[in-house]
Amino acid sequence: MNWILMVLEKAEKDIEFNGVHMLVYRLEDEAVSTLELLDEITAIEGTPITEAEEIRSYVQTLNVGDTVTFTVNRNNKETTATSKVYEKEGNKLLGVNVLEKPDFKVTPEVKVESKDGEVGSSGGFMTALAIYDKLLE
């Protein structure tokens, strides 16, 4: 769960939720893939998806060496990319890490700026607490 979204809900702010963007944020060394960092995955084998878990579940139905085709938004253009299934420690993988980024608008508008090093789960949590504190003032 996105910490900021959770804090806004707790503060009882009006939130317009518009879905989730699935962004590629890391490609493992073992990955054989044409996906690129920050590609937004919108479909797998032509079927629209809304959660990263759908990718993980689908991969488990495949065989090692199978190729998965994704529909992605890359630089504001729709294109396709592929990844090959491989096995590591008994798990079928693509070697692609996906971040689920919620798309929402809140009233009142909240603007969050951060510096390098202020990201990750701990940074997100601390930012959320600071926002919550300000919203309750």
Side-chain angles (χ1 to χ4, degrees):
M1 157 79 61
N2 181 290
W3 286 108
I4 294 172
L5 187 58
M6 186 174 79
V7 163
L8 292 168
E9 288 174 347
K10 277 285 192 202
E12 298 180 356
K13 298 302 174 186
D14 293 327
I15 301 168
E16 178 186 323
F17 188 71
N18 300 310
V20 175
H21 299 281
M22 285 174 288
L23 304 174
V24 174
Y25 74 90
R26 180 183 165 113
L27 295 167
E28 301 295 337
D29 291 339
E30 301 91 345
V32 177
S33 181
T34 61
L35 285 165
E36 296 180 7
L37 294 179
L38 300 180
D39 278 352
E40 178 185 357
I41 299 173
T42 60
I44 188 167
E45 304 296 352
T47 302
I49 56 173
T50 58
E51 314 182 331
E53 181 57 38
E54 293 174 271
I55 299 169
R56 287 186 281 276
S57 295
Y58 180 70
V59 168
Q60 297 313 305
T61 69
L62 302 174
N63 296 311
V64 172
D66 286 350
T67 298
V68 178
T69 302
F70 295 98
T71 304
V72 300
N73 286 328
R74 179 182 296 157
N75 301 322
N76 296 318
K77 294 180 184 171
E78 186 174 275
T79 189
T80 58
T82 60
S83 290
K84 271 197 181 204
V85 178
Y86 66 93
E87 188 170 7
K88 183 175 182 179
E89 299 175 2
N91 296 309
K92 293 179 193 171
L93 304 169
L94 294 174
V96 176
N97 295 310
V98 177
L99 170 72
E100 292 181 346
K101 181 179 177 241
D103 180 7
F104 61 92
K105 292 181 181 175
V106 64
T107 304
E109 184 177 340
V110 176
K111 184 177 180 183
V112 178
E113 295 179 4
S114 64
K115 300 174 187 170
D116 288 344
E118 295 179 340
V119 295
S121 56
S122 296
F125 180 67
M126 294 307 294
T127 301
L129 289 176
I131 290 170
Y132 186 67
D133 186 49
K134 292 291 182 190
L135 289 171
L136 296 180
E137 286 182 348

